[in-house]
Amino acid sequence: MVLAIAESERVRGTTSPNPPVGCVILDSAGRAVGFGGTQPVGGSHAEVMALKEAGTKAQGGTAVVTLEPCAHYGRTPPCTEALREAGIKHVIHAVSDPNPSAAGGARILEEAGITVESGLLRQEVSRGPLRAWLHYARTGRPHVTWKYAASLDGRIAARDGTSRWISSETSRKEVHDLRAKLDAIIVGTNTVRADDPALTARDAGGMPLARQPLPVVVGMSDLPAGAKLRRTALHLRTHDPDEVLAALADRGVVDVLLEGGATVAGAFLRAGRIDRVLAYVAPALLGDGPAAVLDAGVSTITDAVRLTVEDVTMSGPDLRISAVPQT
Amino acid sequence: MVLAIAESERVRGTTSPNPPVGCVILDSAGRAVGFGGTQPVGGSHAEVMALKEAGTKAQGGTAVVTLEPCAHYGRTPPCTEALREAGIKHVIHAVSDPNPSAAGGARILEEAGITVESGLLRQEVSRGPLRAWLHYARTGRPHVTWKYAASLDGRIAARDGTSRWISSETSRKEVHDLRAKLDAIIVGTNTVRADDPALTARDAGGMPLARQPLPVVVGMSDLPAGAKLRRTALHLRTHDPDEVLAALADRGVVDVLLEGGATVAGAFLRAGRIDRVLAYVAPALLGDGPAAVLDAGVSTITDAVRLTVEDVTMSGPDLRISAVPQT
């Protein structure tokens, strides 16, 4: 399953609105003989890719796959069919398919005499490569990660507005790698005016990475004439997070990174439309300067937006905190 | 040495201005036969306490001690003498004594034919129980830990000023336990007016712990007539951190907890008189409300007070971040 997760991560960011699934085929002796990840929309699913590589060695073997194999005719034939035809005897999957039209794969496999095990490394998969897609499958809305970088005392810039760089080079590189795995990046018009960002995913040398997310600007005001995003971005003239997410879902966007600023972050928080907070906290104190979020709709302490910390790691000298809203 | 550190922790907060040292005596076969910690001022040092328990079993044995044994006649005779007389053959200590009047213990022991090893678990001791005292011995100033509790976005209260409770019960209990191990707690007059704190160390049931730190209020204005601290606290009418620390050093204070508010914290930061930052960060977002520190003397990003994270742990649902200023 660890290898299947790696396949899943490899294709992440290239499959939306389909899930980035990973699959490994083991032959009857338990040797890994085929690897596959979901191909871009219209292409083969992970199981079919892995079976292709395995060829006849799949006969009597096991398919290890991050998501329950699909049972429906969509753009491609059902994977349950492909697994059966290849002579697979066992299927082990991490996560069941929450999608009513595709679900039921496990039952169909079992009816074909294939043993099915579910739940292996479920949490790793459901919090990892399939997190955004599972959210999308359950709610119909893209999954929103709000990312910000701030000092230990919660400032995203100094008194004079300078912010380059609060966070370390390591953290900034991590964010560029993350951007390349997502479908869209949202900023507000204030951020465009203040920072004129390109919102591209770049490597350490500043060169654009192969895969680029859709840049999205949210807000009523026009973008400045020379703004980098004026030519590249989708500009959504609304302040309503649900309108933004609906427009993105229509474009096949599943996994969204919200990069600010404080006003847009506040609007998404008030609407309950932030599914994960990713905070890069630099061990520095500023004592003045703008905050990461404005007006989260909280006026007294008992109304605080409470989160649960999922994970804390060091990113160079910075803390990288991943937290999700309490439900 | 781990046992000696435990002895050291046991007496921490009761020995200032002397160091909270721990000592374990091993007999000639390596069995632990005596344990001791530094007694309150005027009482015996750790080595003497441990030798007393060991009695004649110390003959030919080893003394494991967190600090190099002292070699001078102060309020008590030198420990080097006591070790020699008890027939100790080996001394293992974690940290050398930086105090010129007490130092040289290792050399004197060696001249008496005792083998001396230094440096075992040095970092654990010098960052742990002896941290404040080593700072005090080197600089002549009490060691200052600035502690605060804030939300992930750096707010210490909501818009309406409510702050009970931002941090978890676990974190608040930790702070009460910490208070009992320190010599003094500083707050500003603003905090007295706003919160009317008692600054006592209490147990989970709200009962005062046996050992209480000296409460100190810093600032020019008078304390309100009914304030709890009016009867108990030392009120220092100054805004100068160095005057505060000098007055406390005169009273034998070595280890200080600065509990705010934001103005006092700013003054200590600007003066470079914060030796450690202990932040309890609750996984919550407020989007408005007062910040943990005001005016740290930083106007642009390159002047940020940069810290190094020493340690991050979970305290219940909260993050407990310990960081020290970069030198």
Side-chain angles (χ1 to χ4, degrees):
Chain A
M1 187 61 78
V2 170
L3 296 173
I5 291 175
E7 286 299 306
S8 180
E9 281 289 357
R10 202 173 49 73
V11 297
R12 189 171 172 181
T14 64
T15 66
S16 291
N18 290 334
V21 176
C23 180
V24 176
I25 303 294
L26 309 177
D27 68 13
S28 55
R31 283 176 297 239
V33 291
F35 298 84
T38 312
Q39 298 303 295
V41 172
S44 298
H45 287 188
E47 296 90 327
V48 173
M49 294 300 291
L51 286 171
K52 202 178 289 176
E53 190 184 349
T56 54
K57 293 181 190 153
Q59 192 73 39
T62 300
V64 182
V65 57
T66 56
L67 181 66
E68 180 185 356
C70 72
H72 76 317
Y73 283 87
R75 294 192 189 81
T76 61
C79 292
T80 48
E81 197 72 6
L83 291 164
R84 200 183 50 74
E85 280 174 8
I88 288 291
K89 289 290 168 230
H90 312 282
V91 169
I92 301 170
H93 61 89
V95 177
S96 298
D97 196 322
N99 201 329
S101 68
R107 194 179 42 77
I108 286 173
L109 290 167
E110 281 171 344
E111 285 169 7
I114 296 172
T115 62
V116 179
E117 257 183 86
S118 170
L120 183 66
L121 296 186
R122 175 155 33 95
Q123 184 159 302
E124 282 74 0
V125 170
S126 62
R127 286 189 180 180
L130 288 187
R131 175 191 205 120
W133 182 83
L134 287 169
H135 172 90
Y136 172 77
R138 286 192 201 103
T139 66
R141 290 190 306 266
H143 179 276
V144 178
T145 298
W146 173 40
K147 174 245 128 191
Y148 70 92
S151 61
L152 187 54
D153 59 333
R155 317 287 191 172
I156 59 166
R159 185 188 303 163
D160 67 354
T162 51
S163 64
R164 296 198 172 173
W165 295 105
I166 282 187
S167 60
S168 66
E169 204 178 315
T170 308
S171 298
R172 300 198 306 274
K173 182 180 176 314
E174 262 192 40
V175 170
H176 278 283
D177 292 346
L178 176 65
R179 282 178 175 177
K181 296 202 158 196
L182 290 154
D183 301 323
I185 305 179
I186 301 178
V187 292
T189 49
N190 289 343
T191 299
V192 176
R193 272 196 302 276
D195 298 346
D196 188 23
L199 297 188
T200 48
R202 295 180 293 275
D203 66 16
M207 297 299 290
L209 298 174
R211 154 110 188 133
Q212 293 292 334
L214 172 71
V216 180
V217 180
V218 169
M220 307 307 268
S221 40
D222 289 334
L223 305 188
K228 294 193 190 93
L229 287 176
R230 213 180 142 98
R231 288 180 48 209
T232 56
L234 171 67
H235 185 178
L236 298 172
R237 289 176 193 267
T238 171
H239 286 138
D240 180 349
D242 280 323
E243 285 185 24
V244 172
L245 295 178
L248 293 179
D250 283 349
R251 282 167 177 80
V253 165
V254 168
D255 202 357
V256 170
L257 190 64
L258 176 62
E259 292 217 23
T263 310
V264 181
F268 273 75
L269 272 178
R270 285 197 304 281
R273 291 295 177 256
I274 287 182
D275 305 304
R276 181 183 175 214
V277 178
L278 186 61
Y280 286 88
V281 176
L285 296 166
L286 290 168
D288 202 350
V293 59
L294 286 177
D295 192 2
V298 176
S299 57
T300 193
I301 190 74
T302 48
D303 295 342
V305 180
R306 295 280 173 180
L307 312 169
T308 301
V309 174
E310 274 192 338
D311 188 49
V312 183
T313 49
M314 300 300 292
S315 169
D318 303 333
L319 294 176
R320 178 181 174 281
I321 302 167
S322 174
V324 294
Q326 286 177 13
T327 44
Chain B
M1 187 58 80
V2 170
L3 296 174
I5 292 175
E7 287 298 308
S8 180
E9 282 288 356
R10 202 173 48 76
V11 297
R12 189 170 171 185
T14 66
T15 66
S16 292
N18 290 334
V21 175
C23 178
V24 176
I25 303 294
L26 309 177
D27 68 12
S28 55
R31 287 176 293 240
V33 291
F35 298 83
T38 311
Q39 297 303 295
V41 171
S44 297
H45 287 187
E47 296 91 327
V48 172
M49 294 300 290
L51 286 171
K52 203 178 290 176
E53 192 185 347
T56 53
K57 293 179 189 154
Q59 192 73 39
T62 299
V64 182
V65 55
T66 55
L67 180 67
E68 181 184 356
C70 74
H72 77 317
Y73 283 87
R75 292 192 191 83
T76 62
C79 292
T80 49
E81 196 72 4
L83 291 164
R84 198 182 53 72
E85 280 175 9
I88 289 292
K89 290 290 167 229
H90 312 283
V91 169
I92 301 171
H93 62 89
V95 177
S96 296
D97 195 322
N99 198 329
S101 70
R107 194 176 43 76
I108 286 173
L109 289 168
E110 281 172 343
E111 285 170 6
I114 295 171
T115 60
V116 178
E117 256 184 86
S118 172
L120 183 66
L121 295 186
R122 177 155 33 95
Q123 184 158 302
E124 282 76 0
V125 170
S126 62
R127 286 192 181 178
L130 288 186
R131 175 191 203 121
W133 183 82
L134 287 168
H135 172 89
Y136 172 77
R138 286 192 199 101
T139 66
R141 288 190 307 267
H143 179 276
V144 178
T145 299
W146 172 41
K147 173 245 128 188
Y148 69 93
S151 62
L152 187 54
D153 59 334
R155 316 288 188 170
I156 59 166
R159 187 189 300 163
D160 67 355
T162 51
S163 64
R164 295 190 172 180
W165 296 104
I166 282 187
S167 61
S168 67
E169 203 178 316
T170 309
S171 298
R172 300 198 305 274
K173 183 181 174 314
E174 261 192 40
V175 169
H176 278 284
D177 291 346
L178 176 65
R179 282 179 175 177
K181 295 201 161 195
L182 290 154
D183 301 322
I185 305 180
I186 301 177
V187 294
T189 49
N190 289 345
T191 299
V192 176
R193 271 194 303 275
D195 298 346
D196 188 24
L199 298 188
T200 48
R202 294 180 295 275
D203 66 17
M207 296 299 292
L209 298 174
R211 155 113 188 130
Q212 293 293 334
L214 173 70
V216 180
V217 179
V218 169
M220 307 306 268
S221 39
D222 289 333
L223 306 188
K228 294 195 190 93
L229 286 175
R230 211 178 144 100
R231 288 178 50 206
T232 57
L234 171 68
H235 184 178
L236 298 172
R237 289 177 191 269
T238 172
H239 286 138
D240 180 348
D242 279 323
E243 285 185 26
V244 173
L245 295 178
L248 293 180
D250 283 348
R251 282 166 178 79
V253 165
V254 168
D255 203 356
V256 171
L257 190 65
L258 177 62
E259 291 216 24
T263 309
V264 181
F268 274 75
L269 272 177
R270 287 197 304 280
R273 291 294 177 260
I274 285 181
D275 305 304
R276 181 183 175 213
V277 178
L278 185 62
Y280 286 88
V281 176
L285 297 166
L286 289 168
D288 201 349
V293 58
L294 287 175
D295 191 4
V298 176
S299 56
T300 193
I301 191 74
T302 48
D303 294 342
V305 180
R306 294 280 174 181
L307 311 169
T308 302
V309 174
E310 274 192 338
D311 188 47
V312 184
T313 49
M314 299 301 289
S315 169
D318 304 331
L319 294 176
R320 180 183 171 281
I321 302 168
S322 174
V324 294
Q326 287 178 12
T327 45

